[in-house]
Amino acid sequence: QFLGSTEVEQPKGTEVVRDAVRKLKFARHIKKSEGQKTPKVELQISIYGVKILDPKTKEVQHNCQLHRISFCADDKTDKRIFTFICKDSESNKHLCYVFDSEKCAEEITLTIGQAFDLAYRKFLESGGKDVETRKQIAGLQKRIQELETENAELKNKVQDLENQLRITQVHTPPAGSVTPKSPSTDIFDMVPFSPISPQSSTPTRNGTQPPPVPSRSTEIKRDLFGAEPFDPFSCGAGDFPPDIQSKLDEMQEGFKMGLTLEGTVFCLDPLDSRC
């Protein structure tokens, strides 16, 4: 069972440890009176340090590196209690960790001492390089954790900005768009004529389309008998046969002399249907 950790003033000493144990035992009695149970933990001891894990999820709650542990001892008055003092890597404070083990408190203390002996032997064999490597690895792991935390915060900010942008786009029309306006009408509720837009593209107020404007055809229309209609603007002198043209000339000379069509001089034969 893990009673917890508390800050101590010295990195080692029997009296320092006893004060920490008394404080944490008193805190445990208060928690028990409130109905809280003392949490159980699992310890992993190696030449690199002591890890405190959750026994069910195996999640690391505390990772105490061996080179930061300055003191380890079991309580001679209470065989269930064992402690060690470790310097915190972030706050640089000395923390005393207190555990309650019913049967193996002394064995755990001896195991931590053996880990120190093995780590010291490996230090002598490697010439101190292994310790420096572990320090560098620990520093890199700490930096990675800081970067992951910063990256998660930045992702949350980006997500918030994207949500705000989507809300703005929903309520604001895109730039440059023109809202179509209904054409204005006169006092008779009629749409005024516009030469720019075709009349057939604008429906009337009752939903029906106006009649299409007849298109002008370049083809010459003919009458019921297949003859072309008379057009005084396009009918010239070259459009008639020579005999009819000579009679027209005589008629014009007769008009100049004041004669009319009743004169027998101008009794003409039936003209061509084109005139």
Side-chain angles (χ1 to χ4, degrees):
Q1 293 179 345
F2 181 39
L3 274 66
S5 62
T6 181
E7 183 182 356
V8 292
E9 296 180 356
Q10 300 296 328
K12 60 182 179 178
T14 305
E15 291 298 327
V16 174
V17 170
R18 285 178 180 175
D19 292 339
V21 171
R22 283 195 294 266
K23 183 188 296 185
L24 292 175
K25 278 186 174 181
F26 180 73
R28 181 174 65 171
H29 288 307
I30 294 177
K31 290 180 180 179
K32 280 187 175 181
S33 63
E34 295 176 351
Q36 298 182 16
K37 295 181 179 181
T38 304
K40 294 183 179 182
V41 295
E42 179 181 321
L43 295 182
Q44 288 185 357
I45 303 171
S46 67
I47 60 174
Y48 301 107
V50 179
K51 291 183 179 180
I52 305 173
L53 295 81
D54 185 279
K56 295 182 179 180
T57 63
K58 305 300 180 181
E59 181 182 358
V60 178
Q61 298 177 354
H62 301 278
N63 185 12
C64 303
Q65 297 176 354
L66 200 66
H67 67 277
R68 292 183 177 274
I69 297 177
S70 57
F71 188 78
C72 180
D74 57 293
D75 194 347
K76 301 303 178 182
T77 59
D78 189 352
K79 298 298 183 179
R80 299 166 56 97
I81 303 298
F82 70 94
T83 65
F84 63 84
I85 298 175
C86 180
K87 188 177 182 179
D88 186 62
S89 59
E90 296 182 358
S91 62
N92 289 327
K93 296 179 180 180
H94 295 283
L95 301 177
C96 183
Y97 293 83
V98 180
F99 302 87
D100 183 350
S101 180
E102 183 178 355
K103 296 180 180 181
C104 53
E106 186 177 358
E107 295 178 359
I108 294 174
T109 304
L110 293 175
T111 304
I112 295 177
Q114 292 175 358
F116 271 100
D117 292 338
L118 292 174
Y120 182 68
R121 291 178 186 178
K122 191 172 183 178
F123 170 76
L124 294 178
E125 293 175 358
S126 62
K129 295 181 180 179
D130 187 61
V131 176
E132 294 298 328
T133 302
R134 289 203 306 269
K135 288 182 179 180
Q136 292 178 1
I137 292 175
L140 291 175
Q141 289 177 347
K142 182 180 178 182
R143 180 58 180 165
I144 290 173
Q145 186 176 3
E146 293 175 354
L147 291 176
E148 288 179 350
T149 303
E150 184 179 357
N151 188 25
E153 293 177 354
L154 291 175
K155 284 183 178 180
N156 292 333
K157 291 181 179 179
V158 170
Q159 186 66 31
D160 294 339
L161 291 175
E162 288 180 353
N163 294 335
Q164 293 178 4
L165 182 60
R166 290 173 184 172
I167 294 174
T168 305
Q169 289 179 349
V170 169
H171 294 284
T172 305
S177 63
V178 179
T179 304
K181 298 181 179 179
S182 58
S184 59
T185 57
D186 54 14
I187 59 176
F188 300 103
D189 199 20
M190 300 293 292
V191 179
F193 171 74
S194 176
I196 300 176
S197 59
Q199 188 71 13
S200 60
S201 63
T202 305
T204 57
R205 299 289 292 185
N206 57 4
T208 59
Q209 294 287 342
V213 179
S215 59
R216 296 182 179 180
S217 177
T218 55
E219 299 180 358
I220 301 175
K221 296 183 180 180
R222 300 179 181 273
D223 56 12
L224 184 61
F225 300 100
E228 298 178 0
F230 173 73
D231 189 353
F233 299 100
S234 62
C235 186
D239 296 333
F240 303 100
D243 54 344
I244 298 177
Q245 185 64 43
S246 60
K247 294 180 180 180
L248 289 174
D249 293 339
E250 292 178 358
M251 288 176 64
Q252 290 179 359
E253 292 179 0
F255 287 140
K256 292 178 181 179
M257 297 173 61
L259 298 178
T260 61
L261 290 177
E262 281 82 7
T264 58
V265 180
F266 297 100
C267 181
L268 302 178
D269 295 332
L271 299 178
D272 190 88
S273 62
R274 294 177 59 186
C275 294

